[in-house]
Amino acid sequence: MSVIGIDTKVLSTSTADIAVAADILCGGGLVAFPTETVYGLGADATNGAAVARIFEAKCRPAFNPLIAHITGIEAARALCDIPDAAERLATAFWPGALTLVLQKRDGTGISPLVTAGGSYLAVRAPDGNVAAALLQAVGCPVAAPSANLSGRISPTTADHVLAGLNGRIDAVINGGICPVGIESTIVGFDGAPRLLRAGGLPVEAIEACLGARLERGPDSDAPVAPGQLESHYAPGAKVRLNAAEARDNEFLIGFGDVKGDATLSKSGDLVEAAARLFDLLHQADATGRPVAIAPVPVTGLGLAINDRLKRAAAPRS
Ligand code: TXA
Ligand code: MG
């Protein structure tokens, strides 16, 4: 990995520092910022050169489209056509851990790099005061993937961001720990609403709001958002799933009855487990030991947790 050698500022969540962050973004720079899901690496979505720097900083394959972060449904209306079902979901769950992939309007000024040249745009209004204040101050959509090197674990603290991107981005806003801890759920609208990625908003809540089941990919365990590489969210060491106990020198991540060296949730709470998932993968990774992970049920947030775990354990390309 090449080091770009930028002096990365660590900003606080004060109004003055958010104004500094907004100036950097408006000037074409890159700022990592906290959302309720994970830290995002932001750039002005209407500035092609700034968006290109995201791919450079993350070493990310350029064919992978990005989510445009916006202040809410009014901002979405200016960018996309919003079918009724999408309107209902946005009204119910924004700001929140839900990304909608919608037909983009003409003349939005959004850089084609954000949609990877396609005609559908992913939009999300993130929850949390810092993200909201930043978006308000910037005044335009902010393209932001998770603020990690491509293929590595998503960051849920500013330290995680710096571990991967220090020297490669202009600033990070230190807003503490992300409360949801797992990326947003993505629903596509190129026909009937379709689950493209399980995430921080449980599929059951979305289906209850729509009064209908979401379409899935051919294999319901395999979300179909483009660029979802098989090996992703990966620690450096080998990862073994559904482990009831540690073998050899493994660092065991527990859940419920499986105690482990550290646990996702002692009481078997999936919300707590989602919030702790990436931090524990980072912790396990830092030990340099192979990693084993206890079984986690596939209901509610467990769908997203199992999706990330499967990718963490997939053979590396
Ligand atoms: O919670 C989140 O979603 C976080 C925070 C920062 O908002 N962001 C995030 O971004 O996870 P990223 O880039 O790591 O993942 C975005 C996913 C990718 O799998 C991408 O392929 C998909 O969204 N995506 C983006 N635009 C799309 C589009 N136009 N059509 C289909 N999938 C899209
Ligand atoms: Mg990511």
Side-chain angles (χ1 to χ4, degrees):
M1 179 192 69
S2 69
V3 174
I4 298 179
I6 300 168
D7 174 26
T8 302
K9 289 192 183 72
V10 178
L11 300 173
S12 75
T13 60
S14 70
T15 308
D17 272 8
I18 286 183
V20 170
D23 280 349
I24 294 172
L25 287 171
C26 293
L30 301 185
V31 178
F33 62 98
T35 79
E36 82 282 36
T37 59
V38 300
Y39 276 72
L41 178 58
D44 173 352
T46 65
N47 178 336
V51 177
R53 290 187 59 212
I54 291 180
F55 295 102
E56 180 189 41
K58 280 182 62 94
C59 306
R60 185 178 201 175
F63 45 74
N64 204 351
L66 305 174
I67 299 170
H69 292 70
I70 54 174
T71 48
I73 194 158
E74 287 314 319
R77 265 191 248 288
L79 300 174
C80 307
D81 295 332
I82 308 185
D84 286 350
E87 174 108 22
R88 244 184 295 155
L89 293 181
T91 305
F93 299 116
W94 278 359
L98 173 68
T99 293
L100 303 174
V101 178
L102 302 169
Q103 178 79 55
K104 190 164 68 72
R105 287 178 183 272
D106 291 336
T108 59
I110 297 282
S111 159
L113 265 182
V114 176
T115 57
S119 59
Y120 282 82
L121 175 67
V123 287
R124 173 166 109 82
D127 202 2
N129 296 338
V130 178
L134 182 65
L135 290 172
Q136 197 70 46
V138 173
C140 70
V142 170
S146 49
N148 49 279
L149 289 172
S150 187
R152 304 309 296 260
I153 304 161
S154 288
T156 54
T157 67
D159 280 347
H160 295 164
V161 174
L162 290 169
L165 298 178
N166 194 13
R168 306 182 65 81
I169 63 176
D170 297 293
V172 55
I173 300 175
N174 184 356
I177 298 170
C178 302
V180 174
I182 199 160
E183 302 92 336
S184 60
T185 302
I186 306 180
V187 178
F189 287 85
D190 59 345
R194 177 182 292 275
L195 179 67
L196 299 181
R197 176 176 76 183
L201 179 67
V203 170
E204 292 88 338
I206 296 171
E207 292 181 335
C209 175
L210 292 175
R213 253 180 79 77
L214 290 175
E215 303 273 327
R216 313 282 168 110
D219 161 7
S220 64
D221 281 347
V224 289
Q228 295 237 53
L229 307 174
E230 177 76 359
S231 165
H232 205 165
Y233 309 100
K238 243 179 95 180
V239 178
R240 185 168 68 87
L241 302 183
N242 295 317
E245 57 201 9
R247 287 185 199 150
D248 306 323
N249 185 33
E250 281 173 342
F251 183 98
L252 177 62
I253 297 179
F255 179 83
D257 291 341
V258 179
K259 202 163 156 277
D261 295 280
T263 182
L264 288 166
S265 168
K266 211 167 138 182
S267 65
D269 175 8
L270 289 166
V271 174
E272 184 184 18
R276 292 177 55 76
L277 175 67
F278 291 133
D279 191 43
L280 284 190
L281 287 173
H282 278 281
Q283 273 183 39
D285 201 17
T287 66
R289 290 155 58 188
V291 183
I293 306 175
V296 176
V298 191
T299 55
L301 289 180
L303 183 64
I305 294 170
N306 277 285
D307 170 68
R308 305 305 186 271
L309 290 178
K310 253 170 62 183
R311 288 167 203 281
R316 310 293 150 73
S317 44

